Amino acid sequence: MLRPSSLGLFLALGQSLLSAQAGPQTIQLQSRTAPPAATQKRRGLSPENIPLVDFFRGTDLQWFGNITVGTPPQTLTVIFDTGSSILAIPSTLCDESCDNQTKFDPTKSSTFVDGGTIETEFFLNRFVSLLRQNYQNPNPGFLGVGVDPVREFEGTSNYDYVLHSASDVISVGGLTASATRFFLITTQSDGWALDPFDGIQGMSARAMGFFGSLISQGLPSLFSLYLTPQAIGNAEMTIGGIDTTKFKGDLIYASLPAFTTTSWSLISPQFFVNGKSTNALKASRHVVFDSGTSNIVFTSQIANELYALISPDIVPHDAEPGSYGIACDKIDTLPAVIDMTFTAQDGTPFNLTIPSSELNVGPFDDDPTICQTLINAVEDVPALVGGSLLKHYYSVWDVGNQRLGFAAV
Ligand SMILES: *[C@@H]1O[C@H](CO)[C@@H](O)[C@H](O)[C@H]1NC(C)=O
Ligand SMILES: *[C@@H]1O[C@H](CO)[C@@H](O)[C@H](O)[C@H]1NC(C)=O
Ligand SMILES: *[C@@H]1O[C@H](CO)[C@@H](O)[C@H](O)[C@H]1NC(C)=O
């Protein structure tokens, strides 16, 4: 999930969080609750594997896992989202818009501190299920679901939060961060209501919040994602390390561009579709890797270039602005291999590949004979790739070395 065009605002928020976190007073308020063994090992904390659940509706959408908040700990589920930076969870302060989710109750936590400020967050490129009716009344012949492009209306979107700032103990996989800044959701727009998870934990390229705190306690400053398709299962995040049992061969690392701030992006000099490229696809561009996004997002110019190499029958689907579709009976036989070239740290090019099987995102709600295709068009945002690429690789998100690593699974 990526926040919208006001990326600068987001950065400013992230940085203020970081400085609040580093404030000596905040740190001294709570004692660390690391187990004695970890305290004795002067090298700090050890990596932990966090099991993840696939949010699947005909297509793999997002992967989420448990965190605990407060003392005693209250368990909630969150997406570990490389496209955002903060932790936001539903709370008992939330109105009826959070009714279907687990709510954190600050009055039951002895370590809770009210931060006292109100913020509004809205997310671009959320892409969740479009077919609410089909979800509630699944029909046996139903192959998949579309994903819902986020729409912006006058500075707000269909994926908004109103947030109340707070601080408390946060634990992930047994690793504990005391006095960590986070946000209580007090209202959310209805785009969130169908989610099987409760909140979002941002995992941006700058360590903030609980991850920043764990790093300051000695945890290695990287995490890894194994985002498997539903048929494979056993998805996991390894926080502070790499699970070498989950991939084959070597990891290939690529450096983040020097000016990157919170964003996990790499520069790609060229895209290919089914081995072919065009002048427009040869232009160098940033590609943001966002574990909270299911589909791919490009400008309409690039989306049109890519689709033209797949099939002239793929056309914009006007009922869902930004989405494209084609007759469902044509889609499954279309070759649609998308190769994106990147440059490894040693200077050699490598491709990340999205196979043809990802093209079909499922039938549209308003016309189930038309199936939605993988690439969405949104202007004025960086190119975004998410789960449909990441699930074909083991990925390492190395904050300390400002690089991304990929290996074949
Ligand atoms: C989350 O924790 C609950 C217990 O609080 C457990 O039942 C569930 O399996 C956990 N889920 C994951 C993904 O670890
Ligand atoms: C919660 O789920 C119920 C049953 O699916 C639905 O009727 C209700 O509108 C949902 N509430 C929210 C806030 O989305
Ligand atoms: C990337 O994919 C394209 C298209 O299939 C191919 O021509 C090119 O050689 C590949 N590059 C690398 C480094 O594998």
Side-chain angles (χ1 to χ4, degrees), residues 273 278-281 300-310:
V273 176
T278 65
N279 283 338
L281 297 181
S300 53
Q301 188 218 357
I302 298 303
N304 292 337
E305 293 272 334
L306 293 168
Y307 281 139
L309 292 172
I310 300 172

Side-chain angles (χ1 to χ4, degrees), residues 51-53 64-66 75 77:
L52 300 179
V53 174
F64 58 94
N66 281 344
T75 302
T77 53

